Amino acid sequence: MRTSDPFYASASTDEIAKQMLGMLLTYESPKGKVGGWIVETEAYMGQKDSAAHAFKGRRTASNEPLYGPPGTVYIYSIHGRYLLDVAAQEKDVPQGVLIRAIEPTIGKDIMLTNRAKDGVDLTNGPGKLMEAFGISDKKMNMHIFGDVALDIHQDEKKVPAAIESSNRIGVSNQGDWATKPLRYFVKGNPFVSGIRKRDVDSETRGWRE
């Protein structure tokens, strides 16, 4: 069992969030393996970030995984939905990357039974992808990705043709940092949350061929 994953401390958290785009996220679920390419992430920059769970050093039993070593699984719930985050930077530096959306490629039939939503609505949001995966608890928290049923395959990756950024979603009332461009996504991918139809690249889905 690994005690950390140095990739998640190899650069700034916003840079890690960009590098994660195109990586394969998988989950060995009780029904079978599911997964897809990461197409949207958000960086949260710790104590200084007014939209972060650890703003001003807040530390609770709930957000403790954020303070774990790089690569720690951090699952949390909001408005009755579960979301998936990975701790970045060294232990006790509570920064992280939220995985907001994936392009599903593995076990789509399983995901459809879990969520009963076809097309882009299957996984085009952080709560949606966790529902599609069938994850509804925090049992994998405090473990390193790859040591549990969740894994982010850094060596299995598609290359985005272009990466765009914007302010993060759902944090508009969270102070000065709410408008910082810390959300990153694969330009033109249909599974990016809230993408307009006219912005979708139906030929390449935003990937470099």
Side-chain angles (χ1 to χ4, degrees):
M1 298 284 283
R2 295 173 302 160
T3 57
S4 68
D5 185 333
F7 165 74
Y8 296 99
S10 64
S12 62
T13 300
D14 52 342
E15 184 61 32
I16 296 289
K18 286 184 267 190
Q19 292 180 21
M20 286 172 62
L21 295 174
M23 290 182 181
L24 183 67
L25 172 69
T26 61
Y27 173 54
E28 297 284 353
S29 84
K31 299 178 183 178
K33 188 174 184 177
V34 294
W37 308 112
I38 297 172
V39 298
E40 184 180 356
T41 59
E42 287 180 347
Y44 287 86
M45 308 300 287
Q47 294 102 323
K48 63 185 178 182
D49 183 347
S50 60
H53 290 177
F55 182 47
K56 293 184 176 179
R58 182 172 180 266
R59 189 167 186 168
T60 66
S62 179
N63 75 356
E64 185 63 26
L66 265 182
Y67 288 84
T72 297
V73 175
Y74 175 35
I75 296 170
Y76 61 95
S77 59
I78 185 169
H79 305 310
R81 286 190 151 181
Y82 288 84
L83 284 74
L84 180 61
D85 204 294
V86 55
Q89 307 312 314
E90 298 297 342
K91 190 176 187 299
D92 293 324
V93 180
Q95 299 186 21
V97 178
L98 171 67
I99 301 173
R100 278 198 54 89
I102 65 166
E103 178 183 323
T105 58
I106 301 169
K108 287 177 69 174
D109 54 334
I110 297 171
M111 288 190 264
L112 284 166
T113 63
N114 288 336
R115 189 164 150 70
K117 295 284 188 179
D118 203 355
V120 298
D121 198 41
L122 182 61
T123 55
N124 67 344
K128 295 176 183 181
L129 80 86
M130 289 289 271
E131 185 180 336
F133 276 14
I135 298 174
S136 57
D137 59 52
K138 305 176 184 179
K139 293 177 181 177
M140 289 179 282
N141 273 358
M142 297 303 301
H143 293 279
I144 303 298
F145 275 87
D147 284 351
V148 285
L150 277 166
D151 200 2
I152 300 169
H153 304 263
Q154 298 161 26
D155 56 348
E156 292 185 56
K157 185 177 180 181
K158 290 181 77 70
V159 180
I163 293 172
E164 291 200 332
S165 63
S166 79
N167 57 297
R168 292 166 294 184
I169 294 174
V171 298
S172 59
N173 62 340
Q174 299 295 317
D176 295 344
W177 278 68
T179 57
K180 290 189 181 292
L182 292 169
R183 169 181 173 250
Y184 306 100
F185 54 94
V186 177
K187 182 181 179 181
N189 190 279
F191 286 89
V192 170
S193 58
I195 192 171
R196 296 171 297 189
K197 286 185 177 180
R198 68 173 185 246
D199 293 331
V200 171
D201 186 330
S202 57
E203 291 187 14
T204 68
R205 298 192 172 197
W207 304 116
R208 187 179 297 168
E209 295 301 313

